[in-house]
Amino acid sequence: MIPFSPPRIDQAIVDEVSKALLSGWITTGPRTKLFENKLTAYVGCRKTICLNSATAGMELMLRWFGVGPGDEVIIPAYTYCATANVVMHCGATPVMVDINEKDFNISVAAVEKAISAKTKVIMPVDISGFPADYDALNALVNAEKIKKVFLANGAEQKKLGRILILSDAAHSFGATMNGKMSGALTDVSVFSFHAVKNLTTSEGGGVCLNLPDQFDIDEIYQHLNINSLHGQSKDALAKTQVGNWRYDVLYPGYKCNMTDISAAIGLIELERYESNLARRKVIFDQYVAGFENEEWAIIPPYLTAEKETSYHLFLLRIKGIDEPKRDAIMQAIFEAGVSVNVHFQPLPLLTAYKSLGYKMEDYPVAWAKYENEITLPVYFDLSDESVQFIIKAVTKAVNGLL
Ligand SMILES: *Cc1c(COP(=O)(O)O)cnc(C)c1O
């Protein structure tokens, strides 16, 4: 069976993790701080904090901005549940909007229609690693007529004076737009380093802060650090210094820090990330060459004059098929020995959100993208022979069932 997305674990990773394990320091410490600094330099943002997941990062940022009951956060219906769940955790309302015809990302026109006086945050998602329309989104939240309807509560909202853009960049580490890296495209971007993502730390997330100059970034970093460690005034490393054992708890914070064992994996992953991206691009190009002449194939956008994907997921679509036909084709591909997937089941299909009253028929583009989509394996260790095998298995399954 060709797996869908195994992590790239080799001797280099094992050696660095061993070093971390034997160093005497296994929780948040020097490796995490080094990883944060290297991420900041790589993406070109102002500062980065690493946590135990992207989910934790998105929630901490919503809470930092003072998002709570009565507030609305605009998200695409086409995403992983984490984007919506963190809004729910804060007691706010996820306002779901449809996606674009041209790609799998949030529709800026739909966002504009959904903005109300309750809107505090927009959370675009870079589906498959292809950046959302940040130029349009950044311009939208800065437009005078949109700023006029923004009702600022609390210090951070007053300081920003407009809707915050919090990017769910879980897929897009390494992607670019107009020569800038994902992580530096808007106010805040949150990467996931979960096991299946392009760059992994087994579990983990990175919050790239790129807020405007009026924000003291070191102060925000300090706040996030403390809020990720129970509201404790000193972290474990600081407490080991002579005469520094006593600490205070400033408020009941969360517990979602990254460990140095995870950071050890991340440091190696980041060091060789360019080769990972290059290999993924070759796999994408092979898929495109394999499918572009098929009448039934819809190739996902991944490289335009403005944007280049991080080559995270290859979202193949099959023209003219419905959901049961798609499922049958997937079954045939699995039976041929290839693991495939669907990204994503739009949120209104899931019990948690369906039961709250979100309706699939309100998101026709998301449905149209979902019902005929099949995600193919993309990962560094996937060989050229395996890619050709996958192309044949997909083609045979489609031709046999179309
Ligand atoms: C993986 C993923 C997340 C969650 O990342 P974690 O690090 O597991 O919290 C969020 N959003 C999207 C779109 C994802 O694919």
Side-chain angles (χ1 to χ4, degrees):
M1 191 80 169
I2 297 177
F4 181 71
S5 181
R8 182 184 176 187
I9 302 299
D10 57 11
Q11 200 55 45
I13 298 270
V14 171
D15 289 347
E16 190 61 28
V17 169
S18 299
K19 274 196 218 154
L21 287 169
L22 296 169
S23 72
W25 197 266
I26 59 176
T27 183
T28 314
R31 280 186 170 77
T32 303
K33 300 300 153 192
L34 181 62
F35 186 44
E36 288 173 347
N37 291 336
K38 291 198 164 180
L39 288 169
T40 300
Y42 184 79
V43 309
C45 64
R46 293 182 66 191
K47 204 158 177 101
T48 304
I49 182 160
C50 284
L51 300 166
N52 67 3
S53 70
T55 304
M58 294 190 291
E59 180 162 342
L60 287 197
M61 288 316 299
L62 289 176
R63 292 190 183 274
W64 164 80
F65 200 55
V67 173
D71 294 335
E72 295 179 352
V73 176
I74 300 175
I75 65 168
Y78 201 94
T79 182
Y80 181 58
C81 64
T83 325
N85 287 356
V86 293
V87 178
M88 300 290 293
H89 295 170
C90 295
T93 304
V95 173
M96 292 181 200
V97 302
D98 212 345
I99 56 172
N100 291 319
E101 292 283 353
K102 62 172 182 176
D103 58 28
F104 293 79
N105 291 333
I106 197 164
S107 154
V108 181
V111 169
E112 185 167 2
K113 277 200 205 112
I115 289 173
S116 79
K118 294 178 179 169
T119 307
K120 300 295 181 189
V121 180
I122 299 167
M123 295 177 72
V125 186
D126 303 331
I127 298 287
S128 77
F130 192 66
D133 292 325
Y134 289 103
D135 287 349
L137 288 162
N138 291 333
L140 181 67
V141 296
N142 281 296
E144 280 313 316
K145 64 169 185 185
I146 300 292
K147 282 170 95 170
K148 255 191 231 143
V149 294
F150 182 70
L151 283 177
N153 291 317
E156 310 306 344
Q157 292 181 18
K158 287 191 178 117
K159 198 179 282 181
L160 190 62
R162 59 163 171 81
I163 296 168
L164 174 77
I165 299 189
L166 173 59
S167 163
D168 178 341
H171 297 177
S172 63
F173 187 73
T176 59
M177 182 170 173
N178 296 327
K180 277 191 189 169
M181 309 273 320
S182 175
L185 298 176
T186 195
D187 297 326
V188 183
S189 305
V190 183
F191 294 116
S192 172
F193 306 134
H194 177 271
V196 302
K197 299 296 178 359
N198 269 22
L199 185 155
T200 190
T201 59
S202 78
E203 292 280 0
V207 179
C208 291
L209 300 166
N210 210 38
L211 288 153
D213 293 345
Q214 68 261 36
F215 287 93
D216 180 339
I217 286 293
D218 293 323
E219 198 180 285
I220 298 170
Y221 177 89
Q222 212 37 45
H223 160 80
L224 295 170
N225 216 14
I226 289 172
N227 203 16
S228 69
L229 267 170
H230 284 297
Q232 210 172 277
S233 61
K234 287 175 193 167
D235 65 19
L237 195 60
K239 279 161 57 185
T240 62
Q241 308 304 309
V242 178
N244 217 22
W245 64 270
R246 193 186 293 277
Y247 61 89
D248 191 12
V249 171
L250 308 172
Y251 51 84
Y254 297 85
K255 181 63 170 67
C256 52
N257 53 308
M258 176 177 276
T259 72
D260 267 22
I261 301 172
S262 292
I265 303 175
L267 283 167
I268 300 298
E269 285 271 271
L270 183 56
E271 207 173 84
R272 62 193 189 190
Y273 194 61
E274 290 303 319
S275 67
N276 185 346
L277 281 180
R279 177 63 197 152
R280 286 170 179 273
K281 179 169 173 22
V282 168
I283 294 168
F284 262 62
D285 290 342
Q286 290 175 353
Y287 280 145
V288 172
F291 295 122
E292 67 186 347
N293 295 322
E294 299 290 350
E295 196 44 44
W296 46 260
I298 306 172
I299 307 291
Y302 62 98
L303 186 57
T304 65
E306 279 193 293
K307 301 177 185 177
E308 183 169 8
T309 182
S310 65
Y311 302 96
H312 178 48
L313 299 170
F314 192 89
L315 308 177
L316 179 68
R317 291 171 63 224
I318 319 291
K319 225 172 265 175
I321 62 166
D322 60 7
E323 190 188 27
K325 182 64 67 72
R326 188 271 315 277
D327 293 354
I329 291 169
M330 282 181 73
Q331 183 63 27
I333 298 170
F334 267 108
E335 281 163 10
V338 179
S339 277
V340 285
N341 227 310
V342 172
H343 293 87
F344 284 92
Q345 299 182 78
L347 300 178
L349 294 180
L350 308 174
T351 301
Y353 291 95
K354 194 167 30 181
S355 65
L356 289 172
Y358 296 90
K359 291 189 185 65
M360 196 60 245
E361 53 268 34
D362 293 338
Y363 312 96
V365 186
W367 173 261
K369 294 272 153 101
Y370 154 78
E371 70 172 341
N372 59 11
E373 192 276 333
I374 301 173
T375 316
L376 307 183
V378 181
Y379 49 91
F380 181 83
D381 291 316
L382 188 67
S383 67
D384 292 347
E385 298 74 59
S386 292
V387 175
Q388 293 310 318
F389 183 86
I390 294 165
I391 292 169
K392 285 205 188 81
V394 171
T395 306
K396 183 153 180 268
V398 174
N399 287 335
L401 287 156
L402 212 56

